[in-house]
Amino acid sequence: MTRFGFIGTGSMGGMLVRKFTGTGLLAPADIAASSKSGISSRALAETTGITAAPSNPAAAEGAGVLFLCVKPAMVRLVLSEVRPVLARGTLIVSVAGGVTLSDLEAWAGPAHRYVRVIPSVTAEQGAGVSLVAWGRGVTPGDKDLILRLFGAIGTAVETDEENFGLYIDLTSCAPAFIAVMMREFAAAAVRTGGI
C-alpha cells in the first residue's frame, strides 16, 4: 500500500487532499500532511481523517508519493529539509509554478522520480484543467496514478514542460477573459437594441 505525503495544506494542498479523499481515490489513513504552522494540516486532519504530521520530514518519511504544495520560493528549502528521509525512488509531485523538473532533481537528487502538475483553481468544482509534465524515470504506473488522481478533479492534460507558460494562460486566464468579453458583447447588444 502506498503512503502519500502532502507538504503544504493551504488552498491548493488542502483542496487536493479533500478531493482525492472525497472521491475515494486515496484513503485518509494513507495520507500524512504537514503545513508551515501546523494549523491548516491539523484542521484538514479533523475534517478528512488524514494524519497531521508534526513536521515536513514526518510527512515525507516513508511516503511513496510526495506532493509539494508550497509556494515556489519554498520548494528548495522544503526539499533540503526532507531529502535525508526520502525513500529511494520516491515519486515527487510538485504543483509549484516556476519550479522546473530539473530544479526538483537538482534539489532532491537523481534517486527519485518527478512530476510537475499545474492544476487550475476551478478544480475545486471538478471542472479544472491540470497540466502534467513527466520527469525522467517516471513509470507507466506513476502516469496512471497521477492521471487518475487529477482526472478525478477535472481534465488532466499531458504536455511537455516547455508548453506550460502558454497552456497556463489558456487554462487559467483565458476562460475568464473570454467570459468578460462575452458579457460585454451581450451588454452592448442590449444597450444598442440588438437583442
Side-chain angles (χ1 to χ4, degrees):
M1 184 174 298
T2 301
R3 186 172 164 279
F4 296 84
F6 283 80
I7 297 179
T9 54
S11 59
M12 185 58 71
M15 183 271 294
L16 292 177
V17 169
R18 285 189 304 275
K19 295 304 257 181
F20 294 163
T21 57
T23 58
L25 288 172
L26 297 184
D30 296 334
I31 299 174
S34 63
S35 60
K36 191 173 183 179
S37 68
I39 294 170
S40 64
S41 57
R42 288 191 299 272
L44 189 62
E46 288 177 19
T47 60
T48 63
I50 67 166
T51 299
S55 66
N56 293 338
E61 190 167 20
V65 181
L66 179 63
F67 286 86
L68 301 177
C69 304
V70 297
K71 293 181 175 154
M74 296 300 299
V75 172
R76 186 176 193 163
L77 177 66
V78 166
L79 285 173
S80 69
E81 183 182 15
V82 303
R83 186 174 180 169
V85 302
L86 289 176
R88 184 172 182 80
T90 299
L91 178 63
I92 298 174
V93 182
S94 172
V95 299
V99 177
T100 66
L101 291 165
S102 60
D103 289 336
L104 295 170
E105 186 170 341
W107 299 337
H112 308 294
R113 301 172 333 271
Y114 301 94
V115 179
R116 278 187 71 195
V117 181
I118 307 295
S120 63
V121 293
T122 53
E124 184 80 50
Q125 302 304 316
V129 172
S130 296
L131 302 174
V132 182
W134 309 111
R136 242 178 341 114
V138 172
T139 68
D142 296 335
K143 290 182 178 185
D144 180 62
L145 172 67
I146 297 304
L147 293 175
R148 271 189 301 116
L149 289 173
F150 286 92
I153 63 171
T155 303
V157 176
E158 299 174 81
T159 187
D160 293 327
E161 186 176 35
E162 62 261 16
N163 297 328
F164 269 21
L166 172 63
Y167 290 173
I168 288 169
D169 290 343
L170 292 174
T171 60
S172 297
C173 306
F177 289 136
I178 292 168
V180 168
M181 288 187 318
M182 297 310 289
R183 185 174 56 221
E184 287 303 314
F185 288 150
V190 169
R191 282 192 306 270
T192 61
I195 293 184

